[in-house]
Amino acid sequence: MGADSVPQDYEDLIRVIHDKYDGMSKAYQNIAVYLTQNPNDVAVMSLNAIADTCGIHASSFVRFAQMLGYKGFKEVQAVFQRRLSTAAPGFQARIKALESELSDRENVGGWGFLHDLVLRDIDALQELLNLTTGETIEKAVDLMEKADTIYLVGQLRSAPIVDLTRYILTMLGKRTVLLDASGGLSTHIAGTMRPTDLLFAVSFRFYATEVVNIVEQAAARKLPILAITDSTLSPLAKNATVLFAVPEHQYTFSRSLAAPMCLAQSLTAALAARLQKAPDPRIPIVTQP
């Protein structure tokens, strides 16, 4: 790759990473996933800090950059920094303040974990706003509205998202089927989906094998798929009719569902507004006081 063809903006860089991803080594694929999931961290953190977070030696990041045509990883970071500098006003300053507060805090114990999680969730929710377009929301709601039946699949830590989505859709009178992992019949039930139905799939690293298989089988049958995942390099991404890639922050213990749960709720609220023809839709209550 010549100097003139080296990606100079974020969108081109991500496109090149996608093009080369399948032919990369496992280590390079891990680096690629981290870059696409954590663009703000890549912009503000040092190479050594990024390498420590990924558990991959810093020299591998340098070679990764050279594989893409850059002289070193600093040039890759410069692309991410330019992206961050053109983000919403005050966003870059907020990111740096967040990083400083998390690293300098003296909070300990349970409240300290709450403090960190809330700060990270605020950042994740803001990033969700920055990455999600109204056009994508409308396309997703179109699919949900037109579907005869919405099949929901999400396992492991994605399960709460599809559980809540099923509840709201059912209360709105939308026919839904939860592809529950219990009983071992999820894949078989998914096989009964028709072209007029919709598969609503949610999965994050490390992606549940059965969820990936169901998405691939649905794609092979050319069924519409709405996917919520954590990266445009996710195994769900290439088969999604409508894709929401919600980057996650790295956590030492677990990862929050605040952003993807908020996204799922916003989709059902937008659908409810259409079905009820009301700007302020309501979910029918199950019980009366």
Side-chain angles (χ1 to χ4, degrees), residues 147-218:
D148 288 339
T149 301
I150 298 177
Y151 287 77
L152 299 145
V153 61
Q155 297 177 7
L156 306 175
R157 62 192 178 89
S158 303
I161 299 172
V162 293
D163 282 339
L164 176 64
T165 304
R166 176 182 62 163
Y167 162 71
I168 298 175
L169 291 176
T170 300
M171 295 307 297
L172 292 176
K174 196 70 182 179
R175 187 182 295 110
T176 63
V177 174
L178 178 62
L179 299 174
D180 196 317
S182 62
L185 293 174
S186 293
T187 302
H188 298 284
I189 296 173
T192 67
M193 289 189 296
R194 301 162 299 175
T196 54
D197 298 328
L198 170 68
L199 178 61
F200 188 122
V202 185
S203 190
F204 311 110
R205 295 188 76 197
F206 297 90
Y207 311 101
T209 301
E210 190 170 29
V211 174
V212 174
N213 290 341
I214 288 172
V215 168
E216 290 179 347
Q217 291 175 18

Side-chain angles (χ1 to χ4, degrees), residues 33-113:
V33 169
Y34 183 85
L35 297 184
T36 59
Q37 284 187 323
N38 304 276
N40 296 328
D41 288 347
V42 174
V44 301
M45 292 171 63
S46 68
L47 172 55
N48 287 335
I50 295 172
D52 288 343
T53 299
C54 293
I56 299 173
H57 197 276
S59 61
S60 294
F61 283 81
V62 176
R63 290 193 294 271
F64 178 87
Q66 292 170 343
M67 179 268 296
L68 296 177
Y70 298 96
K71 293 180 180 178
F73 191 71
K74 284 186 178 180
E75 291 185 353
V76 173
Q77 280 190 298
V79 175
F80 284 83
Q81 289 163 356
R82 286 194 292 272
R83 169 193 174 274
L84 191 57
S85 68
T86 59
F91 186 57
Q92 184 175 16
R94 184 175 57 78
I95 288 291
K96 291 181 178 179
L98 172 66
E99 183 185 46
S100 176
E101 185 169 356
L102 289 174
S103 61
D104 295 342
R105 72 168 180 81
E106 296 180 355
N107 302 319
V108 294
W111 192 89
F113 292 119

